[in-house]
Amino acid sequence: MRGAGRRRSARAEGRAWLVRALALALALVSLQLGSLISPAYACGCGAMVPSGATRVSVDRETSVVDWDGRTEQIVMRLTVRGDAPEAAWVMPVPHRASVELGDPSLFSELAALTAPVQATRHYFWPRSDDWPFAGSGSSADGVGAPSAGAPPVRVVGRERLGPFDVARLAATDPEALQTWLADNGFELPDRLATALKPYADRKWEYVAIRLAPKDGNSPLGGDLDPLRLRFASDRPVYPMRLSKLASTPQQLGLYVLAAHRMEPRGAIGGEAPQVTYAGRIDPGSVREDTGALAAMTGGEPVFVTAIEQSFPRPERIDGDHELRAADTDNPYRTVVFTDRLLTAGGVPVWLLSLLGAALSAAAAALLVLRIRRRRPVVPPPPVMVPPPLG
């Protein structure tokens, strides 16, 4: 009887363990499915959201900001990945903007012109991956509020630009703007109205962008077509405040074209901005093909400042990038060093130095020995016998 009772108890414990294991497995599956279905807000210029139970994330945003003292242009390109066939985002602008497709070659031209310089740096003593340790391998505020009685959302213009459905909007009420966007096919985060309030208070306008490729079944991926925005501005600004809605770390690459070297006023919640290039470029005098850059600057020389910044915790973003002239126009270019062991004729110099020192020591020892052998032997002085006493 006791044995039967123990067997029933063991079976009951086994069933209980199985139930707990199944519950844990279901919880893990539910958590995984939730992470796939939840939208990923990602865009340094605003908030991007996919449609439906899909996901999309922006791996990198690269933008060119051109400012001539009165007018600002922003050419923006996003690199995305995910399984969403379409997505939308919004870009606040301090004044009314015109929108058109940008030239993708602008980014390749600037990348070539501002690429790091490759240089070789030699070291004397061997390191862990050198012989004999590891073989012989080498090593603005807006101006003018809308008139009284204006509708809370006013459509300034709406265009189809390639794969983009672009709506240019003026809005005084963030809640009304969010409702209009939702009613017109722009699915954006629920928290958008709160994030838009600082822009509404400053009477900014908005460019809402819905990306819907002709082949609606193809997921978004890779480099999207760039967009070019142009608006009046008495100071250069790059909108970033809406990126606090992003759920993934953000990476921003910014080229600033102006009369002088430029810099952000602050980090706005991200890591410290890093200047990777600063220098004056004349599109008409460089060897590289600079047709897109010349078209953007009117062929005139321009000071180019390339800035990289990471936002590991986007929720900390607390403002827009306000750009200002640096104290000096000192040029700068990133130098990427390749460290190589110093050699002569393929032989490490440290080894030649040790061999040379050993040979020198041996030669010195032989020389001392030879000198000692050639030195004449001096006979000992004669022994003087004392005279006899008496």
Side-chain angles (χ1 to χ4, degrees):
M1 294 295 292
R2 294 180 179 176
R6 284 195 295 269
R7 287 194 295 271
R8 285 194 298 270
S9 177
R11 286 196 295 270
E13 291 179 0
R15 286 194 295 271
W17 179 87
L18 180 60
V19 170
R20 289 194 296 269
L22 289 174
L24 178 60
L26 288 174
L28 291 174
V29 170
S30 299
L31 180 62
Q32 182 66 21
L33 289 176
S35 67
L36 292 176
I37 293 174
S38 61
Y41 310 141
C43 178
C45 60
M48 173 179 280
V49 188
S51 60
T54 54
R55 56 193 175 91
V56 65
S57 64
V58 177
D59 289 337
R60 179 174 176 80
E61 177 183 0
T62 308
S63 294
V64 180
V65 174
D66 175 57
W67 184 64
D68 62 6
R70 296 169 301 176
T71 303
E72 180 175 342
Q73 300 181 76
I74 296 178
V75 182
M76 173 183 58
R77 184 180 67 180
L78 306 180
T79 303
V80 304
R81 59 185 170 88
D83 58 6
E86 59 182 37
W89 68 97
V90 62
M91 177 85 163
V93 289
H95 295 79
R96 185 153 302 169
S98 63
V99 187
E100 60 188 17
L101 289 176
D103 189 342
S105 62
L106 175 64
F107 298 94
S108 57
E109 291 175 11
L110 286 170
L113 290 169
T114 63
V117 176
Q118 303 293 327
T120 301
R121 182 169 52 190
H122 292 94
Y123 56 92
F124 183 80
W125 293 111
R127 298 178 179 176
S128 59
D129 55 347
D130 295 317
W131 182 88
F133 303 111
S136 58
S138 62
S139 61
D141 293 329
V143 293
S147 60
V153 179
R154 187 157 45 96
V155 181
V156 176
R158 190 164 184 177
E159 303 90 12
R160 178 78 182 191
L161 301 174
F164 300 106
D165 176 12
V166 179
R168 293 177 289 131
L169 308 168
T172 57
D173 184 347
E175 297 283 353
L177 176 59
Q178 179 163 331
T179 300
W180 187 97
L181 292 169
D183 292 343
N184 287 269
F186 294 85
E187 296 188 37
L188 292 166
D190 296 335
R191 296 173 293 157
L192 180 64
T194 302
L196 286 174
K197 188 177 185 307
Y199 297 113
D201 293 342
R202 296 160 67 187
K203 309 301 185 294
W204 282 35
E205 295 192 0
Y206 311 91
V207 177
I209 304 158
R210 187 170 67 89
L211 178 59
K214 295 180 180 179
D215 184 2
N217 296 323
S218 299
L220 300 176
D223 294 334
L224 304 183
D225 292 337
L227 280 175
R228 179 174 178 177
L229 289 72
R230 182 187 288 108
F231 49 88
S233 181
D234 56 0
R235 55 187 175 86
V237 61
Y238 189 74
M240 288 289 299
R241 193 185 301 268
L242 295 186
S243 292
K244 69 188 308 176
L245 300 177
S247 61
T248 57
Q250 303 288 281
Q251 185 71 25
L252 174 66
L254 203 58
Y255 296 101
V256 185
L257 316 182
H260 300 280
R261 176 171 172 166
M262 305 295 285
E263 63 183 9
R265 289 185 179 272
I268 63 169
E271 296 181 352
Q274 301 295 321
V275 173
T276 60
Y277 179 89
R280 194 169 301 279
I281 294 177
D282 184 355
S285 63
V286 296
R287 294 182 179 179
E288 292 85 351
D289 181 11
T290 55
L293 180 60
M296 190 168 189
T297 62
E300 297 295 325
V302 65
F303 203 102
V304 178
T305 310
I307 302 169
E308 292 281 340
Q309 188 178 16
S310 298
F311 296 89
R313 299 188 62 181
E315 69 274 11
R316 294 184 173 179
I317 295 176
D318 57 6
D320 300 317
H321 264 321
E322 298 181 6
L323 303 165
R324 64 185 179 186
D327 294 335
T328 65
D329 284 344
N330 290 340
Y332 174 81
R333 191 161 196 166
T334 301
V335 179
V336 177
F337 288 101
T338 300
D339 290 340
R340 297 185 183 278
L341 182 65
L342 186 62
T343 61
V347 180
V349 171
W350 69 266
L351 182 58
L352 294 176
S353 299
L354 291 180
L355 291 175
L359 291 174
S360 298
L366 289 174
L367 181 60
V368 170
L369 182 60
R370 181 174 299 179
I371 291 174
R372 287 182 176 179
R373 286 180 178 179
R374 290 182 177 178
R375 183 181 300 170
V377 178
V378 178
V383 178
M384 300 298 295
V385 179
L389 295 175

